[in-house]
Amino acid sequence: MPGAFSILQSPFLSRTRKKRKGRRRSISNSRPSKTITIQIETNGNEEEEEEEEEAELGFKLKPSSSFQDHRLIQPLGNLLLLDPSSNIRNPGLGNLRILSDELLLDVLGLLGGRDLGILSSVSKSLYVFSTHEPLWRNLVLDHLNGEFLFSGSWRSTYISSIYPQFFPPSAGPSTLRIRNFYSDHLFQSWLCANLEMKPEWLARDNIERRRNLSLEEFVSRFEDLNKPILLEGCLDLWPAMEKWSRESLVQICGDVKFAVGPVEMTMEKYFRYAESATEERPLYLFDPKFAEKITELGSDYDVPEYFKEDLFSVLGKERPDYRWIIIGPAGSGSSFHVDPNSTSAWNAVIRGSKKWVMFPPEVVPPGVHPSPDGSEVACPVSIMEWFMNFYGASMNWKKRPIECVCKAGEVVFVPNGWWHLVINLEDSIAITQNYVSRRNLLNVLDFLKRPNASELVSGTADRVNLHDKFRASIEAAFPGTIDQLAAIAKEKMARSKKLNFWESATDACTGGFRFSLN
C-alpha cells in the first residue's frame, strides 16, 4: 500500500488551482504587521505548557485546538532574544527565502496537489508551507466542488477523496517533528483558528431589547430613526423553532444541495464538515433559494409583523435575492459589510447564538477600508483577527458600536447602511431577510441609480435596469407614493436645518432621519 507521499506524486494530481474571488471583493487581505510574542517552555508536561502559553498569550484556546500543530510554528517575537540564524525558515527555502510568507503562499497556491506533495518532502520549511491548510482547502473546493466528505483536515480530505482506498480514516497525523520555525503570518492563522472569544469581547450589550413592541412604536422609534433593536418573543409560533435541528434538516433536505461558499453541498455533508472543522474562516451555508428548493423550509417560519411591508415584492420573480437560511459552526460568520442594495434586514436565530457588532453608516469600523465608490472593502483576513487587533480601538470612540449577543428565539433589526459583523458563538441556524419599506424606499432608489450600479447592485442578473423596473413597478402598484415620500423627506430636511445647536446635537444622538447614503 503506497504512502501519502507516493499518492501525491501521481500524475493525476498535477492540476493548477484557479484563484477564486470571495463572496465580497476585497482590496487586500494582508495582515497587519504586528509582532506576536509567546513563551514556550519544554518541561514534558503538555497540559501545563498549554496553560502557561495561554496565560502568556492572554487568550484561551479551544478544547479542540491542536497543541502539536502550534509547536510547528512560533511567532517572530519569540526569536527576539535568540540567534536569528536559529530560525530554520530561510535555510530550508533556498532561493525562495527572499519571498515574504504571504507571497510564497500565493506562489504555492498556483500549484496542484502532486507538486505540493513533492515540495513537502524537500525540507522542513517547505513542509510547513506546502501543508498550510488554506492551500488544500482551495484545491478541494476548486477541483472537488461539494462532492467530498471532510476527513478532519483539507489535506487529508483532498487525498482521501481521490484515492480513498489508500487513505483510510484511521491514518494518523504526521510524526515529523519541527522546531525553531518562526512566522507571524502562519502563527496568526493558526491562532485565529484555535482561540476562543475573550470574555471582554462578549461583555458589552448596549442594544435596546424589547418584547411585545407595537408596530407603530417600532416604526417611529427604530425604523424611522434607522436605529437597531433586538426583538424578543417574535418566533414563539414558528414551527422551525421546534423542528429544525441537524438530524431533521438532514432528513428533510435529503440529497438537495445548498450554497456553501463557492460550492454546493448536501446538508449531511456540510454538517459532517462543520462538526470537525477547525480553521480561521469556516465555510458558511448561506443559501438564497432554500425555500424554493425545499418548500417545507419556507413554510416553517413567518415574517415578523414589523417587516411584512416589503416593496421589492412588486417585482415578483425579478426581485433581487432577499432571504437566506444560514448555518455555521462556532467561529463562522460574516466580516464587516453593509447589506446589499441599501436594504434593511432582520436576522432570526433558531439554534445557537451570535455576537453582533454594528457601526452607524457614517462611522467606518476600525481596520475596515472601503474604496471611494463603495464597490470594494479591505478588512482583516478573519473575524477573530479583527477582534484581536481592532476591537479595543473603538472602545474610546465618541460613537461606540452597538453590540449584543442574539440567542435562539431572538431577532436583530439591522437598519440600512449600518456596518455589521456577526460571529457564531456556537453551532447556529438562522433565517435572515432583506426588505424595503416606505421608510427606506428613497434610499434604495437612490442607491440603484448610482453611476456604478453595475458593480454595487447584487442579487440579480439585471443590475443596470433594476432601478427603472423597480420605480415603474412602485408607481404602478402605489401611485404617487414616491412623490409623497420625497416631499416628506424634503420637509424633514428643511426642518432639521432650522434646529438650534442643542436641538441638532440631540437629534444626532438619536440617529435622526437619513435621506441617502451619499
Side-chain angles (χ1 to χ4, degrees):
M1 181 182 295
F5 173 63
S6 301
I7 296 171
L8 286 172
Q9 295 188 74
S10 167
F12 296 104
L13 297 184
S14 183
R15 290 177 283 181
T16 302
R17 180 181 72 85
K18 295 179 181 178
K19 289 214 167 186
R20 183 181 298 278
K21 292 184 179 180
R23 183 180 298 272
R24 297 183 184 88
R25 289 174 292 177
S26 62
I27 301 170
S28 170
N29 278 334
S30 60
R31 298 178 183 277
S33 55
K34 181 176 180 180
T35 301
I36 306 170
T37 306
I38 67 169
Q39 183 65 37
I40 294 182
E41 297 181 6
T42 305
N43 57 16
N45 189 322
E46 189 168 287
E47 291 185 1
E48 290 183 6
E49 289 180 29
E50 290 189 52
E51 292 176 358
E52 291 175 6
E53 289 173 14
E54 288 178 3
E56 290 287 340
L57 281 167
F59 299 109
K60 182 178 180 181
L61 300 180
K62 297 176 181 176
S64 60
S65 63
S66 171
F67 183 69
Q68 182 59 45
D69 288 346
H70 167 35
R71 284 293 195 85
L72 295 180
I73 305 165
Q74 298 183 44
L76 281 172
N78 285 16
L79 192 60
L80 293 177
L81 300 180
L82 302 176
D83 181 358
S85 64
S86 63
N87 188 356
I88 68 169
R89 177 198 185 275
N90 289 346
L93 293 179
N95 291 335
L96 295 176
R97 65 182 180 275
I98 64 173
L99 302 179
S100 67
D101 292 350
E102 296 91 334
L103 184 55
L104 179 55
L105 289 172
D106 283 343
V107 172
L108 296 184
L110 301 174
L111 305 180
R114 173 180 178 272
D115 298 319
L116 288 177
I118 292 173
L119 281 177
S120 69
S121 68
V122 172
S123 68
K124 290 184 176 180
S125 292
L126 283 172
Y127 174 85
V128 171
F129 282 103
S130 62
T131 58
H132 189 50
E133 274 288 272
L135 296 175
W136 295 91
R137 165 172 157 150
N138 289 335
L139 286 173
V140 171
L141 298 181
D142 281 345
H143 299 317
L144 302 177
N145 297 312
E147 298 300 324
F148 64 88
L149 288 176
F150 191 72
S151 301
S153 74
W154 288 109
R155 185 167 178 260
S156 63
T157 300
Y158 183 79
I159 300 171
S160 62
S161 295
I162 296 178
Y163 291 102
Q165 68 274 29
F166 297 138
F167 203 90
S170 59
S174 170
T175 57
L176 180 65
R177 295 293 178 259
I178 295 177
R179 298 281 184 176
N180 299 321
F181 187 97
Y182 299 86
S183 166
D184 277 351
H185 182 80
L186 295 179
F187 177 80
Q188 185 150 312
S189 178
W190 174 88
L191 182 61
C192 289
N194 286 280
L195 65 84
E196 291 188 341
M197 292 286 287
K198 299 176 71 172
E200 52 264 42
W201 297 344
L202 303 175
R204 186 177 179 84
D205 192 326
N206 59 344
I207 196 169
E208 188 166 348
R209 295 171 174 266
R210 296 293 298 273
R211 180 183 289 268
N212 299 324
L213 184 70
S214 69
L215 176 60
E216 293 73 20
E217 189 176 0
F218 169 76
V219 170
S220 63
R221 291 198 53 194
F222 299 97
E223 194 176 28
D224 265 348
L225 300 181
N226 217 43
K227 179 182 176 183
I229 182 175
L230 188 148
L231 299 164
E232 301 173 343
C234 296
L235 317 183
D236 294 346
L237 300 180
W238 279 17
M241 295 300 297
E242 295 290 334
K243 291 173 55 177
W244 288 14
S245 64
R246 168 178 175 163
E247 293 75 18
S248 66
L249 289 176
V250 168
Q251 182 178 4
I252 292 170
C253 299
D255 294 330
V256 176
K257 295 180 179 180
F258 296 85
V260 178
V263 301
E264 290 194 337
M265 301 174 67
T266 64
M267 284 284 182
E268 184 175 12
K269 289 183 177 179
Y270 177 73
F271 278 119
R272 170 167 171 166
Y273 157 80
E275 71 179 356
S276 59
T278 301
E279 55 181 329
E280 187 175 7
R281 294 176 296 136
L283 290 176
Y284 216 10
L285 192 152
F286 199 82
D287 195 293
K289 305 297 182 183
F290 72 98
E292 289 83 352
K293 294 176 179 179
I294 304 291
T295 55
E296 182 178 343
L297 298 182
S299 62
D300 280 345
Y301 79 98
D302 187 34
V303 177
E305 63 171 329
Y306 311 105
F307 317 114
K308 285 189 178 293
E309 182 184 56
D310 186 357
L311 299 178
F312 256 148
S313 62
V314 300
L315 291 174
K317 293 183 178 180
E318 292 188 276
R319 69 171 300 163
D321 294 339
Y322 70 104
R323 58 181 178 179
W324 294 262
I325 185 174
I326 309 174
I327 304 176
S332 61
S334 300
S335 57
F336 273 110
H337 64 284
V338 174
D339 276 343
N341 306 327
S342 194
T343 55
S344 297
W346 56 270
N347 188 296
V349 178
I350 297 171
R351 294 284 183 272
S353 58
K354 298 172 180 284
K355 167 70 178 183
W356 286 76
V357 182
M358 294 180 277
F359 287 86
E362 68 275 11
V363 179
V364 178
V368 176
H369 306 282
S371 61
D373 64 357
S375 62
E376 296 180 325
V377 177
C379 57
V381 172
S382 66
I383 299 173
M384 198 62 73
E385 185 173 336
W386 184 84
F387 274 100
M388 288 174 58
N389 297 330
F390 296 103
Y391 177 78
S394 63
M395 293 301 98
N396 296 323
W397 288 12
K398 183 175 294 185
K399 287 191 175 182
R400 297 181 181 179
I402 298 294
E403 300 181 46
C404 68
V405 172
C406 184
K407 300 179 181 179
E410 299 176 340
V411 180
V412 169
F413 166 61
V414 185
N416 77 90
W418 277 68
W419 292 93
H420 53 284
L421 169 153
V422 189
I423 182 170
N424 290 320
L425 303 179
E426 52 190 314
D427 297 349
S428 299
I429 303 173
I431 290 289
T432 188
Q433 287 196 188
N434 291 72
Y435 73 102
V436 183
S437 69
R438 294 171 191 265
R439 272 67 62 187
N440 190 32
L441 177 60
L442 297 183
N443 286 319
V444 173
L445 288 172
D446 180 60
F447 181 89
L448 296 180
K449 70 177 181 181
R450 288 188 176 186
N452 59 338
S454 61
E455 297 181 7
L456 295 178
V457 175
S458 64
T460 178
D462 191 3
R463 300 179 178 184
V464 176
N465 299 312
L466 183 60
H467 170 270
D468 294 342
K469 289 181 179 179
F470 185 38
R471 186 181 183 98
S473 297
I474 289 292
E475 292 286 15
F478 308 101
T481 296
I482 295 176
D483 291 338
Q484 181 183 5
L485 293 174
I488 295 174
K490 185 176 181 180
E491 180 183 347
K492 286 186 176 182
M493 191 174 295
R495 191 188 317 138
S496 66
K497 291 181 179 179
K498 297 179 182 179
L499 295 177
N500 61 39
F501 173 80
W502 293 111
E503 290 173 329
S504 299
T506 302
D507 183 65
C509 291
T510 59
F513 178 83
R514 193 175 64 83
F515 174 67
S516 76
L517 292 174
N518 289 328

